[in-house]
Amino acid sequence: MQSSNRLNPSRLIDFTVKDLTVDKLRLIEVPDNATLADALNAMLLTPKSLFCIKLVANRVRAVPVAAVPGQWLGAGGSMIVESDKETGRVKKQYIGMVTMLDVVAHIAGNEEENGLDKKMAAHVSSIIGHCPEGRSLWSLNPNTSIMDCMEILSKGIHRVLVPLDSNVENTSGPELVESASAYTMLTQMDLVSFFLDQSSHLQAILSCTVTDLSAVNDNVLAITSQARVKDAVKCMSMAMLNAVPIVEASSDEEDHTQLVDGKNRRVVGTFSASDLKGCNLATLRSWLPLNALEFAEKIPRTPLFASAPARELVTCHVTSTLVQVIRMATTRRVHRVWVVDKNDGLQGLVSLTDIIAAVRAAISTSTS
C-alpha cells in the first residue's frame, strides 16, 4: 500500500496536454518580415518588436513566425494556420519557429566589415531552420496523453504549438496540419514543472539519483576560459549546441577557438545562446570580442531582465536525486545542469530531454 501511494502511474496516464496548458497564455508570434535587429532590440515596443518582447523575456527562447497564408511552405511540410472562429477563414499561417540557436547560427562565422549589419537586417523568415529543431513545426492536440507528450518532448523536440480550440477532429498526437482560432505553446520546461506538481504520484521516481535513472549524459563538449564570445558563438553554431560549459584553460598553447572535451576539467561558467537575448547591433558588436567567461559573469541587466534571478553556475552530482535536479532547472530556468565531482570536475550533464526520457522510461517500466 505504501508503495502504491508513493507511485501511482495510472494517475499520470489520465492527464492530457490540455491539463498542462490550462493557465498558458495565448501565443504571441513574430511577423515574417521583422528583421533580426527588430527581434533583438528590446528598447522599442512596436508591432515588429513583439518577437523581441518574447525573446528577451526570462522564460522564452523561441517564437513562431507568422505569415500571410498560402505564400509559404511550412517547416517540415507543416500547414498550421490560425482561422476565424466564426467563419473559418484562414487569417495567418505559422511557417516555422525561430530559436536563439537559429540566431547564433545566423550571426556566426562572419568576418566581413559590414557583414554583421547585413545579418541583423535579415528577415526572421530567412533564419528559420538554421538549427535542426527549426526544420519542423509541430502541433500537439489537447487530447494527447501525457505519456505520448513525454515521448515527443524526449526526442529532440523542445516545444510544440497547442490549439486552444482545434478544428481538426479525432486526433490525439503530433500533427503537421492544424487549424484553430488560437494557439499556445507547450515546452519541455512546462512538462518538467508538471513533474514537480505531481510529485506525490512520482515520489519513487523523483527520489532516485540521476545515475540510477541513467539520466546523465557523459559526453560534454566545452569551451575554455580563454575563449572569446565570437569563438563560443561559432563553436555552438557548428555543433548545434544551445549552451556549453566553460572549463579552465589547461595552457596558453591550447586552441581556445575550438570545442574541447570537458570531461574531468573544472567548470567555471556557462555560455548560453540565451545570453544574447535583448542585444541590439551596437551591443552585439561590442560583445563578440569579449572573453566568454567575463561576458557570462557580467551580462548587462536591462529593465526587462530586472526580475531575472542572479546569474550563477548550476551544477549537481552523480548522487543528486532527480527531484533536486528538476528544482535546480525550474528555479534557475536552465535547460541543462552540469554534473560535477567534489572538485567541480565536469562529469556530464542532465538536460530537460534527459529528465523527460528518464521519467517516461521509469513509468513505463512500473506499469508493464
Side-chain angles (χ1 to χ4, degrees), residues 221-233:
L221 295 173
I223 59 172
T224 76
S225 54
Q226 293 188 30
R228 295 171 296 174
V229 171
K230 63 188 297 184
D231 300 324
V233 167

Side-chain angles (χ1 to χ4, degrees), residues 46-288:
T46 62
K48 285 187 179 181
S49 297
L50 285 177
F51 177 45
C52 78
I53 297 173
K54 296 296 288 182
L55 210 54
V56 301
N58 189 39
R59 302 183 180 184
V60 177
R61 292 170 172 82
V63 290
V65 178
V68 175
Q71 296 185 2
W72 293 84
L73 178 64
S78 62
M79 179 58 70
I80 300 175
V81 301
E82 180 178 310
S83 55
D84 185 273
K85 192 171 185 177
E86 300 298 329
T87 65
R89 181 181 62 87
V90 175
K91 298 189 295 184
K92 65 181 70 169
Q93 177 187 354
Y94 294 107
I95 61 174
M97 192 89 67
V98 172
T99 70
M100 279 307 303
L101 186 55
D102 287 319
V103 174
V104 165
H106 178 69
I107 64 176
N110 181 60
E111 300 292 345
E112 297 177 12
E113 182 177 353
N114 297 319
L116 187 58
D117 303 66
K118 295 178 181 178
K119 287 180 178 290
M120 294 292 280
H123 287 172
V124 292
S125 56
S126 67
I127 304 173
I128 296 172
H130 277 18
C131 69
E133 185 184 4
R135 293 169 194 160
S136 61
L137 183 64
W138 292 98
S139 171
L140 202 56
N141 190 277
N143 296 322
T144 303
S145 72
I146 288 296
M147 291 296 287
D148 287 343
C149 175
M150 291 166 63
E151 181 178 11
I152 294 162
L153 294 182
S154 67
K155 295 184 175 179
I157 299 176
H158 296 171
R159 50 191 67 84
V160 292
L161 302 187
V162 178
L164 298 181
D165 54 349
S166 176
N167 294 324
V168 178
E169 299 180 355
N170 301 321
T171 60
S172 58
E175 293 291 329
L176 288 172
V177 178
E178 182 60 82
S179 174
S181 64
Y183 293 84
T184 189
M185 188 185 294
L186 179 68
T187 68
Q188 287 183 321
M189 187 67 76
D190 295 325
L191 184 54
V192 171
S193 297
F194 170 79
F195 294 157
L196 280 185
D197 294 339
Q198 300 300 319
S199 58
S200 60
H201 302 294
L202 291 172
Q203 183 181 353
I205 295 175
L206 300 184
S207 62
C208 292
T209 68
V210 289
T211 302
D212 290 339
L213 292 170
S214 300
V216 179
N217 187 331
D218 296 328
N219 300 315
V220 188
L221 295 173
I223 59 172
T224 76
S225 54
Q226 293 188 30
R228 295 171 296 174
V229 171
K230 63 188 297 184
D231 300 324
V233 167
K234 290 180 182 179
C235 289
M236 292 165 62
S237 171
M238 292 178 61
M240 289 294 129
L241 298 172
N242 284 287
V244 289
I246 304 173
V247 297
E248 283 188 338
S250 60
S251 68
D252 291 336
E253 288 74 28
E254 189 173 25
D255 188 352
H256 306 295
T257 66
Q258 302 294 323
L259 290 169
V260 298
D261 182 357
K263 190 77 170 181
N264 296 320
R265 297 179 65 162
R266 183 170 177 267
V267 184
V268 292
T270 300
F271 186 89
S272 170
S274 299
D275 292 341
L276 301 179
K277 290 186 298 185
C279 64
N280 53 32
L281 177 60
T283 302
L284 183 59
R285 195 188 303 278
S286 66
W287 282 355
L288 289 176

